[in-house]
Amino acid sequence: MTSETITAESAGSWTLGDLPVRRIGLGAMRLTGSAAFHLGTPSERERSLAVLRRAVELGVNHIDTAAFYFSSLRSANELINSALAPYAEDLVIVTKVGPYRDWSGRWGTSARPEDLRAHVEENLRQLGRDHLDVVNLRRMRQDSIAEHFGALAELREAGLIRHLGISDVEPRHLAEAQAIAPVVCVQNRYGLGHDDPATAELLRLCGEQGIAFVPFYAIAGEAGPRAAATDHDEAVRAVARAHDASPAQVRIAWTLHQGPHVLAIPGTGDPGHLAENVAAGALRLTEEDLARLDGASTV
């Protein structure tokens, strides 16, 4: 595949509430360093700014971020603000709240419902916005999300948030949230070979209800926040060879083939990898390809 000239438009579009986005976006976690959080070395600032600007040039209008995405020297929100403000009218910035890291990078007690306003306001301050387009509540192992989601719904009514989503949830949590306020997206860990019946059910429910399903770690697999996967199943490598594509592009394309409501948010701090990720939206897998990949054991 020739990556440099393919734009995000090739992946098609979906709507988050009333906000149209292209189905391939950018996850901001990896902008801050060689691995997420404090797990790697901090990124070169100008390179990260260049990735953001190039993403927009390639038609990306959906960026996923959070105030707790920072390394010892870099903040994803600050990079986004510096690179892209004043923001284009069609740019949709999605953030998430719930987890908490202190200034040193240590993980602390996750937000209580009464803490969420401060989390939202911190994202507003860092991004330089007067409202947040979409805020995902990241469930932190609590059995019920009703109180937390209800607190965000109040902030939505107050005009600080336009739309709401949920993350790391089970089907029952989607029903719980929908009884309080509309849900425009669900973010769960999901990718080629990831076998989790609850997430598969969420994927189905979201498709039936017109809700965006936005998987994270779709390329990283078991490496999670540390890096993209490098141990690819032979099926992935074979499909990649057949399409003159990279294994990462095949993973992204497989993700997008799971339904028109599925959005991809691959993260990178490398301009070359960014172009490859965006170009994966143009990769059309055959039924034979999909059958072969569905039999792969790679996660």
Side-chain angles (χ1 to χ4, degrees):
M1 296 180 67
T2 302
S3 299
E4 292 300 326
T5 58
I6 299 175
T7 71
E9 293 180 358
S10 65
S13 299
W14 190 255
T15 303
L16 296 175
D18 61 348
L19 302 173
V21 296
R22 293 178 183 115
R23 292 181 61 218
I24 190 146
L26 174 67
M29 178 187 287
R30 296 294 301 280
L31 291 172
T32 65
S34 60
F37 313 126
H38 281 33
L39 298 175
T41 57
S43 62
E44 180 185 338
R45 188 169 187 273
E46 289 304 316
R47 188 185 196 202
S48 295
L49 296 175
V51 166
L52 284 160
R53 291 171 181 143
R54 182 58 177 155
V56 172
E57 290 174 357
L58 289 172
V60 169
N61 67 345
H62 172 203
I63 297 177
D64 181 83
T65 187
F68 55 87
Y69 286 177
F70 64 89
S71 66
S72 58
L73 293 179
R74 304 281 175 258
S75 155
N77 282 353
E78 184 276 327
L79 291 167
I80 292 167
N81 190 346
S82 296
L84 302 179
Y87 301 107
E89 289 187 7
D90 70 335
L91 182 64
V92 177
I93 299 177
V94 178
T95 189
K96 64 187 67 64
V97 295
Y100 171 74
R101 297 173 70 211
D102 66 20
W103 63 270
S104 70
R106 288 190 297 266
W107 292 99
T109 303
S110 56
R112 298 179 295 273
E114 62 269 22
D115 299 329
L116 288 174
R117 184 181 185 106
H119 284 223
V120 166
E121 289 179 344
E122 181 65 6
N123 279 282
L124 288 168
R125 183 188 66 78
Q126 292 179 1
L127 291 167
R129 304 289 298 270
D130 60 7
H131 75 280
L132 299 174
D133 296 324
V134 182
V135 173
N136 286 303
L137 172 66
R138 178 65 178 266
R139 184 175 74 98
M140 300 297 290
R141 295 180 293 278
Q142 65 263 43
D143 184 62
S144 169
I145 63 170
E147 284 191 68
H148 288 76
F149 194 78
L152 289 181
E154 291 178 2
L155 297 177
R156 175 176 171 267
E157 290 296 319
L160 296 182
I161 301 170
R162 190 160 180 174
H163 297 295
L164 297 174
I166 51 179
S167 176
D168 200 22
V169 294
E170 300 172 10
R172 62 191 176 90
H173 298 118
L174 175 58
E176 190 175 37
Q178 287 176 306
I180 297 169
V183 174
V184 303
C185 56
V186 173
Q187 284 194 357
N188 266 36
R189 186 169 190 158
Y190 180 73
L192 178 59
H194 184 74
D195 186 17
D196 178 59
T199 297
E201 176 65 4
L202 273 170
L203 174 65
R204 184 188 69 81
L205 289 170
C206 287
E208 289 180 352
Q209 299 174 31
I211 298 169
F213 183 81
V214 190
F216 59 86
Y217 296 157
I219 300 178
E222 289 301 300
R226 293 185 178 275
T230 56
D231 184 17
H232 301 287
D233 189 281
E234 176 53 31
V236 177
R237 296 185 183 277
V239 172
R241 288 193 297 269
H243 290 273
D244 191 23
S246 70
Q249 287 178 314
V250 170
R251 286 175 175 273
I252 295 169
W254 180 90
T255 300
L256 293 172
H257 276 72
Q258 302 312 299
H261 65 299
V262 179
L263 312 182
I265 49 169
T268 183
D270 183 301
H273 289 164
L274 168 72
E276 289 182 8
N277 292 345
V278 171
L283 180 55
R284 303 294 184 253
L285 301 176
T286 67
E287 291 299 322
E288 183 179 353
D289 292 333
L290 292 169
R292 187 170 192 175
L293 292 169
D294 287 341
S297 60
T298 309
V299 294

